[in-house]
Amino acid sequence: MQKIRNIAIIAHVDHGKTTLVDKILHSCSIFRDNESTGELILDNNDLERERGITIVSKNVSVMYKDVKINIIDTPGHADFGGEVERVLKMADGVLLLCDAFEGAMPQTRFVTQKALALGLKPIVVVNKVDKENCRPEEVYEQIFELFFNLEATEDQLDFPVIYGSSKQGWMSTDWKKPTTDIFPLMDAILENIPPAPIAEGTLQMQITSLDYSSFVGRIAIGRVARGTIKEGMPVSLVKRDGTIQKSRIKELYTFEGLGKVKATEVGSGDICAVVGIDGFDIGDTIADFEKPEQLEVIHIDEPTMNMLFTINTSPFFGKEGKFVTSRHLRDRLYKEMEKNLALKVVETESPDSYLVYGRGILHLSVLIETMRREGYELQVGQPQVIIKEIDGVKCEPVETLIVDVPGEVAGKVIELVTQRKGDLLIMEPKGDLQHLEFDIPARGIIGLRNNVLTATGGEAIMAHRFKAYEPWKGVIPGRLNGVLVSMDTGKTTAFAIDKLQDRGRFHIDPGVDVYEGQVLGEHIRDNDLVINLTKGKQLTNMRASGSDTNVRIAPAIKFSLEESMEYIQADEYIEVTPQSIRMRKIFLNENERRINAKKFQS
């Protein structure tokens, strides 16, 4: 009997996956008592820590009662679904985490569907039972219904349930009887998750994720499906298209705690990292040298959105970034495509720009933000959804949108969503909130979050997931107001901003360098207005009485990268550099904009 369990933790974003892994690591004493570890140990890159979300899945392992448990922490956000789909291939069971108040959310459904389809055994963990207004029994019923609707087998429907609070570090089979540790959950894993099966025969291992080391290059990570893999062994690499490359394994590592340890051989069922194989991609099979047999290739859902990435052509180009040429941009995008399966890069007619296809705005914005921090300068265009023709009918991606809002502002949310061609399907009370479900075209979601948060005073909780391609729903109104565009290049002055405040709201402060064609703010009317913010005060020695009043300026409205992506229109770009995010018109000169205006009319 093999003493290995492989388990993936899946849940909707922010239901406590990474916190639970922290507690498992602590309770299985991975760390010395005097070692300070902080929280969210696995969210180890800056972006994950800042946003409080997991972007890349991680592998760790713990020993409990002489059994090695490999734990895979997965992202919860729909945009990183490609990451979840492939790492589930390494698991024999899943821990489905659910918030005791929010219940089953759209993302819970998405990842559960993938896990059940792979025949994995689930354990349900109802987390955060220490919250006010929590409703553990209702959530349990909800999850049972979800499993039933997703056509789970009888064995999967007979799932064990553990209640607890990852943050407070306890788990129990009864939520009214808190314990002092999380061992009831660990025992449930040993009892219910089947041991990793031992398959005899020639070697088969599918590469399901990548790691990179500056010393040895790319490292392949996957689970040995059959046979044994040994250090120094000659192997065949079977590519996705069936072509075979001969190679040799230089080093082998297995996961232990948060790190890797060197191994001479790894048997079937365990997860390992392989060094020394060149030219592999995710989904390839490492197989026997003489008689290679391919494992089924991983199928990933297609991207639903694309954006134009181009080199920075603004007057401030090259001032802040380290990598600014089209060669740098191309190399970086192709490198990203190797490890990010849900991403696709297509060359355009222009050698300086590329169309990048992704799962959604967050998926693309994480890529842009990562590139920006690495020192790249680039410009991106307005996100566009991918239109398909199915049986001669023009179709677009439609998403299921779920919004939880206080009852008194539910009407405003329904109005905003229906303006964007959304259909209200369900409206029901959930605690002291109203729970709304809509079907809405993916185009309608771009730019919706800002408006909904403004209308509800920031109290709305929104989540959405891709549903299907459906016939085109018609024209959706874009941004209602025009923008204020700079007429000149120079430094902004407080004097000029003060005099133009009645024209709209500004996105920039005094004393900032701007260039002709840069978007400086939002106009109060629906047309664009060209203004000069670089004009200073006339410094003559003639003074008009009473004209020297103090300048009072409203604070600038600063947009994050995602907000800018949702805000811009077809004739605008976002210029992204390591230090700034600026919005600009594609044609900087006003006369050129007038000549080319018809190009951008939908």
Side-chain angles (χ1 to χ4, degrees):
M1 182 87 163
Q2 195 165 356
K3 295 195 169 180
I4 296 177
R5 303 282 192 280
N6 296 318
I7 189 156
I9 298 193
I10 58 175
H12 184 78
V13 66
D14 220 12
H15 278 194
K17 295 181 291 301
T18 308
T19 311
L20 179 63
V21 178
D22 282 4
K23 291 294 184 276
I24 292 176
L25 290 171
H26 279 292
S27 59
C28 293
S29 45
I30 290 291
F31 308 108
R32 299 188 309 275
D33 293 342
N34 62 352
E35 198 172 351
S36 76
T37 54
E39 291 185 344
L40 302 177
I41 305 156
L42 289 190
D43 284 353
N44 51 11
N45 73 31
D46 297 343
L47 260 181
E48 292 185 317
R49 286 196 168 279
E50 280 167 31
R51 290 163 181 256
I53 58 173
T54 304
I55 295 170
V56 185
S57 62
K58 320 279 190 319
N59 297 51
V60 291
S61 82
V62 295
M63 291 297 289
Y64 179 69
K65 293 187 177 171
D66 290 339
V67 177
K68 179 181 181 184
I69 302 176
N70 285 317
I71 302 169
I72 307 156
D73 183 23
T74 63
H77 211 284
D79 286 16
F80 308 113
E83 190 79 26
V84 180
E85 285 173 54
R86 61 166 203 250
V87 296
L88 285 178
K89 288 263 184 163
M90 293 198 273
D92 294 307
V94 290
L95 280 187
L96 172 63
L97 237 75
C98 212
D99 186 305
F101 170 67
E102 290 184 351
M105 296 286 278
Q107 192 53 31
T108 320
R109 184 187 180 93
F110 173 83
V111 284
T112 309
Q113 193 171 359
K114 302 286 175 200
L116 294 178
L118 288 169
L120 302 180
K121 173 78 180 168
I123 293 180
V124 173
V125 180
V126 179
N127 195 16
K128 305 191 185 183
V129 294
D130 52 326
K131 265 172 121 175
E132 289 176 36
N133 299 341
C134 70
R135 38 193 198 116
E137 279 104 351
E138 280 179 53
V139 169
Y140 168 71
E141 297 291 333
Q142 215 180 353
I143 293 174
F144 187 85
E145 207 169 297
L146 172 69
F147 276 41
F148 185 75
N149 292 341
L150 294 176
E151 298 173 3
T153 61
E154 282 192 16
D155 182 42
Q156 287 171 329
L157 280 173
D158 184 22
F159 55 83
V161 184
I162 304 286
Y163 300 93
S165 162
S166 317
K167 200 163 191 179
Q168 294 179 357
W170 64 269
M171 290 284 158
S172 169
T173 46
D174 183 351
W175 67 280
K176 290 172 187 155
K177 295 179 188 163
T179 58
T180 52
D181 52 44
I182 63 159
F183 294 135
L185 172 64
M186 305 303 286
D187 293 330
I189 292 175
L190 297 193
E191 281 167 35
N192 297 287
I193 302 296
I198 301 175
E200 300 294 337
T202 55
L203 171 66
Q204 272 189 320
M205 168 181 158
Q206 189 158 43
I207 299 169
T208 43
S209 58
L210 301 178
D211 202 352
Y212 184 80
S213 146
S214 46
F215 299 111
V216 295
R218 294 168 73 212
I219 301 169
I221 297 173
R223 172 179 159 178
V224 183
R226 190 176 75 189
T228 308
I229 188 164
K230 295 177 183 160
E231 199 176 17
M233 174 180 186
V235 291
S236 302
L237 179 70
V238 187
K239 306 286 289 175
R240 291 178 81 110
D241 56 7
T243 54
I244 295 172
Q245 295 173 7
K246 301 297 183 188
S247 191
R248 183 179 289 275
I249 288 161
K250 286 183 188 156
E251 290 177 351
L252 266 184
Y253 294 90
T254 55
F255 291 90
E256 191 169 294
L258 287 172
K260 301 187 187 81
V261 288
K262 209 163 177 183
T264 49
E265 65 173 70
V266 178
S268 68
D270 205 353
I271 294 172
C272 67
V274 178
V275 174
I277 292 180
D278 294 325
F280 65 82
D281 292 309
I282 288 173
D284 294 351
T285 305
I286 298 174
D288 185 57
F289 186 74
E290 282 157 9
K291 291 183 186 163
E293 291 176 44
Q294 188 174 14
L295 284 163
E296 189 188 344
V297 176
I298 302 173
H299 168 72
I300 296 290
D301 287 357
E302 290 178 22
T304 56
M305 195 170 274
N306 66 14
M307 276 177 89
L308 186 75
F309 279 51
T310 171
I311 57 168
N312 189 1
T313 53
S314 83
F316 294 168
F317 127 92
K319 283 188 176 179
E320 296 169 2
K322 204 163 49 172
F323 308 111
V324 294
T325 64
S326 56
R327 178 179 65 82
H328 286 135
L329 181 63
R330 180 197 154 92
D331 291 351
R332 179 66 183 80
L333 289 174
Y334 277 93
K335 187 175 146 197
E336 184 68 26
M337 214 163 51
E338 288 178 355
K339 64 172 189 286
N340 197 332
L341 273 194
L343 200 78
K344 201 167 96 188
V345 179
V346 176
E347 302 199 6
T348 61
E349 293 165 8
S350 154
D352 296 338
S353 24
Y354 301 89
L355 268 180
V356 179
Y357 291 77
R359 274 281 178 88
I361 284 202
L362 185 67
H363 187 199
L364 292 166
S365 79
V366 164
L367 167 65
I368 297 166
E369 183 66 41
T370 311
M371 287 173 67
R372 172 185 166 204
R373 291 178 184 210
E374 289 169 4
Y376 286 84
E377 271 192 23
L378 65 148
Q379 292 180 153
V380 293
Q382 185 188 26
Q384 306 284 347
V385 298
I386 298 166
I387 310 297
K388 283 186 179 175
E389 195 161 298
I390 302 170
D391 302 331
V393 180
K394 181 179 171 186
C395 292
E396 64 174 332
V398 170
E399 309 222 351
T400 301
L401 170 71
I402 293 186
V403 190
D404 290 336
V405 285
E408 61 273 14
V409 286
K412 290 181 185 172
V413 175
I414 295 171
E415 187 183 343
L416 282 169
V417 178
T418 45
Q419 277 172 1
R420 291 163 173 263
K421 303 280 189 261
D423 298 327
L424 180 64
L425 305 175
I426 295 173
M427 181 174 181
E428 57 192 19
K430 176 172 162 186
D432 48 1
L433 299 177
Q434 278 290 342
H435 175 77
L436 311 172
E437 288 191 25
F438 303 90
D439 274 356
I440 181 171
R443 292 175 297 146
I445 289 182
I446 299 173
L448 179 67
R449 184 178 298 273
N450 260 349
N451 297 350
V452 167
L453 289 177
T454 309
T456 59
E459 291 199 41
I461 303 165
M462 282 176 67
H464 57 88
R465 66 182 171 87
F466 173 66
K467 183 185 166 204
Y469 270 86
E470 290 182 9
W472 181 260
K473 305 270 190 204
V475 177
I476 291 177
R479 190 173 67 202
L480 299 175
N481 293 22
V483 287
L484 302 170
V485 184
S486 175
M487 176 192 290
D488 214 347
T489 301
K491 259 195 173 37
T492 55
T493 64
F495 172 77
I497 292 179
D498 179 48
K499 294 286 178 258
L500 288 164
Q501 281 193 113
D502 56 347
R503 295 289 178 206
R505 304 184 304 170
F506 289 102
H507 299 154
I508 49 154
D509 296 312
V512 175
D513 284 314
V514 296
Y515 53 80
E516 181 187 2
Q518 186 178 333
V519 172
L520 305 176
E522 185 173 280
H523 190 199
I524 49 173
R525 304 240 167 95
D526 59 359
N527 61 324
D528 292 350
L529 183 69
V530 180
I531 56 172
N532 184 358
L533 283 193
T534 60
K535 190 170 62 176
K537 190 171 185 180
Q538 287 295 320
L539 297 178
T540 61
N541 48 8
M542 295 292 287
R543 282 279 185 269
S545 60
S547 65
D548 268 0
T549 51
N550 284 341
V551 173
R552 287 189 181 170
I553 298 174
I557 298 163
K558 296 286 166 62
F559 277 10
S560 69
L561 179 59
E562 273 113 34
E563 287 169 338
S564 308
M565 286 162 70
E566 294 187 338
Y567 186 77
I568 61 169
Q569 297 297 300
D571 64 336
E572 290 159 2
Y573 277 156
I574 305 169
E575 177 192 350
V576 182
T577 72
Q579 281 149 35
S580 340
I581 293 174
R582 303 183 187 95
M583 291 183 278
R584 54 159 281 188
K585 292 288 183 185
I586 293 178
F587 294 101
L588 297 177
N589 183 285
E590 193 187 355
N591 290 333
E592 284 185 13
R593 282 203 294 278
R594 284 187 178 150
I595 295 164
N596 292 289
K598 283 188 179 153
K599 280 187 189 174
F600 301 112
Q601 286 168 1
S602 56

